Amino acid sequence: MEAPNIRWGLIDRAVAAIAPRAAAKRYAARIALGNMRRAYDGAVKGRLTKGWHAAGNAADSEIAAAGATLRDRMRDLVRNNPIAANAVQVLVNNMVGTGIRPRAASSSKALNKKVDALWKRWSKRCDSDGHTDFHGLVSLAVREMIEGGEVFAIRRRRRMRDGLAVPLQIELKEADHLDSAKFGQTADGGRIAYGIEYDSEGRRRAYWMFPDHPGDQTPTFTRRLESVRMDAARVAHLFERQRIQNRGVPWGTPAMRALRDADDWQTAELVRKKTEACLVGIVFGADEDQQSIAPMIQDADGNRVEQFEPGLIAYARGGKDIKFNQPSSTAGVSEWNRVQQRIICAGFRTPYELVTGDLSQTNFSSSRVGLNEFRRMVESIQWETIIPMLCERIWAWFLDAAYTAGLIPHTDVPAEWAAPKFESVNPLQDATADLVETRAGFATIAQNIAKRGYDPKESLEETAEYAEMLDLLGLILDSDPRKVTQQGLAQKPINEEFARQIAVGEAGPAATVALPGEAPRSQT
């Protein structure tokens, strides 16, 4: 622990000259008093913290000053650094995967079925650029949030004659489209800061955005560099909030320096190895008229030196000997690389093993512990950032467009979202745990189906359809719990009348069922 910055004044020197013990007690008391006044060691100002400069700026001020540079550098790293590229891909794969799927959940089953059918048709052609579907848009948006810090989804209204199931499409714009230099005051007491317009109560009212990307360098292309006002109701702004902030920063920001240093170190090490491999040996006492195979150059002393290329041999004056080069070995390279890569992965909030593929230092238990914590982080981002800031906004736009087109009676249709399932490390163990939870009542069948990324209604309807097909074909499978128990024993059949009642939905609490050779009894 660093001692407080206690000055040795004139009085202290005088006391020390007359009574050293009293001076020492006086100094110790002053240190103790300084320790009592100090609440946090991290706030100490002294010799060891002299170079630690921490600004107290607002989050938006810091992002405005560094945001563009951070985006450019992170994009450069993702383009050229394999660790950065794979870290981004790992995050996107786990957060979005094959898609975050909605399911209508109103009180009307008929309306839910209609809305789900409309969504299924619309989501296939919702991309304004025509490249992908809804899941592809969400995946690209999350990638932009991780790599560039933020992304904007724009609502584009379409006409019914465009052939869309719902007259709506979504366009994504990068963070560069926002006019960060736009500031001002509005007549009603609102304000514009960093391209975002707020009303007098601080709510977002509009975005000032460039129609074309400011960095587009396409020849013969006239860029529109005048920002235009876009109502906030048409924009979904996706970014992660780590402070009270209005814009985001790339996720790999804490790892940028480590990525760059690792790149530079690997390049320097590679060049050193290549240089050592080029020089095979030096010939001493070679004849002046001797010709070398490679083009010949001379140093300042007239010594002949081959060009630096694989198999190089240098000739020196005097002596009659040849010495071969012995490249030196570098110890601890793999350990240093592993430590640096762990630092980088920590900056991206991703497990080292998933990014690098290095499983040499893990076992089954440690891998599961690491994955559990990573998955908690992924789930928090899914349910606290991606779904409320992007998916729910697009769902609301979809309902509004469908209602305006007369396709649904109202827009009060909430959605239940299902995130993609995580692959099981031990499928049998996890499936057994789900079965026990379901039988104990801790979870429903629908919840466990949704946890795997499927629609419970569709899955159960499909199960009923195949069960009916099995009955028509007279097949009995071990996977059919109606006829085979969990222990593999045949279930006692119910009578045909009760089976018919169940099939048509007429069986009630007072329905009767009879086992072979028994009188009918109540079936609850």
Side-chain angles (χ1 to χ4, degrees), residues 435-499:
L435 178 61
V436 172
E437 287 185 354
T438 303
R439 295 179 68 88
F442 299 149
T444 64
I445 296 176
Q447 288 173 337
N448 278 319
I449 293 175
K451 185 172 69 174
R452 286 165 169 76
Y454 302 110
D455 186 339
K457 294 179 181 178
E458 291 183 359
S459 297
L460 294 176
E461 289 174 357
E462 187 175 346
T463 301
E465 179 183 348
Y466 277 93
E468 182 179 358
M469 186 183 303
L470 290 173
D471 293 341
L472 291 175
L473 297 174
L475 299 176
I476 299 177
L477 303 179
D478 288 346
S479 60
D480 191 347
R482 302 172 306 151
K483 299 183 179 181
V484 181
T485 65
Q486 187 176 359
Q487 290 74 25
L489 303 177
Q491 298 272 27
K492 292 183 178 181
I494 59 177
N495 65 2
E496 295 181 359
E497 175 60 22
F498 183 64

Side-chain angles (χ1 to χ4, degrees), residues 22 56 64 83 85 105 113 130 132 176 247 249 261 317 322 336 401-402 416-417 428 438 444 447 461 479 482 515:
I83 298 296
K113 192 172 183 179
T132 184
D176 309 75
R247 299 196 64 182
V249 295
D261 291 343
R317 293 179 180 275
I322 180 171
W336 188 90
E416 292 180 355
W417 296 90
L428 178 60
T438 303
T444 64
Q447 288 173 337
E461 289 174 357
S479 60
R482 302 172 306 151
L515 297 176

Side-chain angles (χ1 to χ4, degrees), residues 293-445:
I293 298 176
M296 184 267 294
I297 58 175
Q298 290 183 341
D299 60 14
D301 297 329
N303 294 322
R304 185 169 53 190
V305 180
E306 299 276 356
Q307 289 185 343
F308 275 83
E309 59 186 22
L312 179 148
I313 296 178
Y315 295 86
R317 293 179 180 275
K320 297 292 182 180
D321 193 9
I322 180 171
K323 293 184 179 180
F324 292 95
N325 182 37
Q326 296 180 357
S328 60
S329 61
T330 304
V333 174
S334 59
E335 290 79 5
W336 188 90
N337 266 329
R338 188 177 292 114
V339 170
Q340 289 300 112
Q341 289 171 358
R342 289 186 185 278
I343 293 173
I344 292 167
C345 293
F348 275 99
R349 290 175 272 177
T350 54
Y352 162 82
E353 292 76 15
L354 294 184
V355 176
T356 63
D358 180 13
L359 303 175
S360 61
Q361 296 183 337
T362 60
N363 54 40
F364 181 77
S365 299
S366 64
S367 64
R368 292 202 66 172
V369 171
L371 286 177
N372 286 340
E373 183 60 32
F374 175 65
R375 288 171 177 177
R376 289 190 190 98
M377 185 272 293
V378 168
E379 287 180 341
S380 69
I381 295 297
Q382 288 172 338
W383 294 101
E384 297 170 9
T385 301
I386 300 173
I387 291 176
M389 297 180 72
L390 179 67
C391 298
E392 288 283 4
R393 293 293 303 275
I394 295 178
W395 177 263
W397 294 343
F398 162 78
L399 294 176
D400 180 69
Y403 173 74
T404 304
L407 302 175
I408 57 176
H410 56 80
T411 60
D412 187 16
V413 183
E416 292 180 355
W417 296 90
K421 69 171 182 176
F422 291 114
E423 295 297 331
S424 176
V425 179
N426 190 333
L428 178 60
Q429 187 181 61
D430 292 341
T432 303
D434 290 342
L435 178 61
V436 172
E437 287 185 354
T438 303
R439 295 179 68 88
F442 299 149
T444 64
I445 296 176

Side-chain angles (χ1 to χ4, degrees), residues 203-231:
R203 296 172 297 192
R204 295 192 180 202
R205 185 164 56 187
Y207 295 85
W208 290 82
M209 307 188 74
F210 299 113
D212 300 317
H213 196 293
D216 195 339
Q217 303 295 330
T218 305
T220 69
F221 174 67
T222 303
R223 292 177 296 166
R224 292 168 290 176
L225 298 180
E226 185 73 22
S227 59
V228 297
R229 187 179 185 274
M230 190 173 296
D231 193 90

Side-chain angles (χ1 to χ4, degrees), residues 74 78 83-98 100 138-139 141-147 240 249-253 344-351 354-355 373-375 377-379 381-382 386 420 422:
M74 180 52 61
V78 172
I83 298 296
N86 200 39
V88 172
Q89 189 63 53
V90 166
L91 289 169
V92 175
N93 289 346
N94 283 271
M95 291 180 184
V96 183
T98 56
I100 301 177
V138 175
S139 179
V142 172
R143 175 179 287 275
E144 285 287 345
M145 176 188 71
I146 295 170
E147 183 177 333
E240 184 193 18
V249 295
W251 275 42
T253 296
I344 292 167
C345 293
F348 275 99
R349 290 175 272 177
T350 54
L354 294 184
V355 176
E373 183 60 32
F374 175 65
R375 288 171 177 177
M377 185 272 293
V378 168
E379 287 180 341
I381 295 297
Q382 288 172 338
I386 300 173
F422 291 114

